[in-house]
Amino acid sequence: MKTVILCGGYGTRIRDVADDIPKPMIPIGGKPIIWHIMKTYAHYGHQDFILCMGYKSEVIKDFFINYELRSADVTIKLGKKSEQIVSETNHDEDGWQITLAETGIKAMTGARVRRIKKYISDDPMFMLTYGDGVGDIDIEALVAFHKSHGKMVTLTGVRPPGRFGELGIAEDGSTITGFNEKPQASGGRINGGYFVCNREFLDILSDAEDLVLEQEPMKKLVELGELKVFEHDGFWQPMDTSREYSLLNELYNNNQAPWVKWKKK
């Protein structure tokens, strides 16, 4: 099953961190956030990726086209017939297949997904997510849930992470009983991405550049009764601000990143 990742947006809310690279290439622990997302899927055996690119796509292409060279020891013989010998590859991404699809600079999310239809080919299902958020999603359970209900699309419903510190206050109104710097909301759920879609969902989409996946297409699915939610109560965190960038890097650098399952094999 192929995994489609939306990574063509401008990411204007996090320009104060990096304004010269696309948002999915902003690093966590030295690796782009999109790499972390792909590692999550690969952990569950899904290694066939389609990246829907737009803004500064050349940065993403450069990273993956030169991935082997950057991950390996290289011996170079200079001269008229120069040679480059790659040895001692130092990565665990053997077998990954990555299609780098140019889906337009100005295209919105719905149009981007529609434009990679040819790469889905005759596969009955595909997975879809955003290139700017990580979570400890159980992909195997997500896919099993989707197959169990027979509807067209499943999205992962997550608890929105709190953006401000939360204080626990005693009945006297002034004594602090708890301090949670980054609480998780206990109320409703929001769309956390990590979709599983039947192929026919692509027929609901159009090539119009202004088609937003989360608007008309999702509303159409609701009207048809074809949208289900996979409830996820674990970790989920987007990278929308410099504060969230710092949080994710702090978690990773301190070996406290809940989404990093591949190191636990």
Side-chain angles (χ1 to χ4, degrees):
M1 191 187 307
K2 295 179 174 64
T3 299
V4 179
I5 305 178
L6 293 162
C7 50
Y10 289 93
T12 54
R13 285 173 291 179
I14 200 169
R15 289 280 176 86
D16 53 336
V17 172
D19 59 4
D20 59 341
I21 59 175
K23 192 176 179 184
M25 293 301 293
I26 294 176
I28 300 174
K31 293 285 190 179
I33 187 171
I34 192 171
W35 178 89
H36 289 259
I37 295 166
M38 294 165 77
K39 287 289 283 186
T40 296
Y41 282 99
H43 175 77
Y44 290 95
H46 300 284
Q47 301 178 324
D48 194 344
F49 302 97
I50 302 170
L51 308 190
C52 301
M53 304 185 302
Y55 176 69
K56 289 189 177 294
S57 62
E58 68 276 7
V59 179
I60 302 175
K61 283 184 175 179
D62 177 73
F63 177 79
F64 286 108
I65 289 173
N66 294 296
Y67 195 81
E68 289 291 340
L69 289 177
R70 289 174 174 171
S71 303
D73 295 339
V74 181
T75 300
I76 300 173
K77 182 178 180 180
L78 301 178
K80 292 183 179 180
K81 294 184 178 180
S82 61
E83 297 180 27
Q84 186 170 273
I85 303 170
V86 178
S87 61
E88 299 289 333
T89 299
N90 299 315
H91 68 72
D92 298 320
E93 289 69 65
D94 185 45
W96 285 22
Q97 178 170 304
I98 307 165
T99 299
L100 303 166
E102 294 286 356
T103 54
I105 296 294
K106 297 181 180 179
M108 302 303 286
T109 49
R112 292 190 190 283
V113 176
R114 179 61 177 80
R115 291 176 183 183
I116 55 83
K117 181 179 180 180
K118 60 184 177 181
Y119 297 118
I120 301 299
S121 62
D122 295 327
D123 293 355
M125 290 180 289
F126 64 96
M127 291 183 286
L128 168 68
T129 197
Y130 305 104
D132 61 357
V134 290
D136 58 347
I137 316 295
D138 187 333
I139 302 298
E140 184 176 359
L142 167 63
V143 172
F145 174 75
H146 178 76
K147 291 179 177 179
S148 73
H149 60 63
K151 299 299 182 180
M152 198 180 300
V153 174
T154 298
L155 67 78
T156 298
V158 299
R159 303 288 190 187
R163 294 184 181 273
F164 303 96
E166 180 180 67
L167 300 178
I169 302 176
E171 292 182 1
D172 63 10
S174 62
T175 301
I176 295 178
T177 59
F179 183 88
N180 190 356
E181 173 62 14
K182 200 70 176 181
Q184 187 178 62
S186 58
R189 296 180 185 273
I190 62 172
N191 170 23
Y194 293 89
F195 300 85
V196 184
C197 311
N198 291 351
R199 189 181 185 282
E200 54 262 38
F201 174 59
L202 294 167
D203 297 328
I204 290 180
L205 306 176
S206 75
D207 196 51
E209 285 205 331
D210 62 351
L211 181 67
V212 178
L213 179 73
E214 301 78 11
Q215 294 180 8
E216 290 89 349
M218 290 295 119
K219 292 177 181 178
K220 182 66 174 179
L221 289 174
V222 172
E223 291 175 5
L224 296 173
E226 291 289 338
L227 183 61
K228 288 283 192 176
V229 62
F230 175 77
E231 296 185 345
H232 175 67
D233 290 322
F235 180 87
W236 176 84
Q237 178 65 59
M239 186 194 286
D240 286 331
T241 66
S242 58
R243 183 181 182 185
E244 291 166 342
Y245 161 80
S246 298
L247 168 69
L248 291 172
N249 274 279
E250 181 179 355
L251 289 171
Y252 185 84
N253 293 333
N254 291 324
N255 295 316
Q256 296 177 338
W259 71 89
V260 181
K261 296 185 176 183
W262 56 88
K263 290 184 177 182
K264 300 175 182 179
K265 288 184 177 180

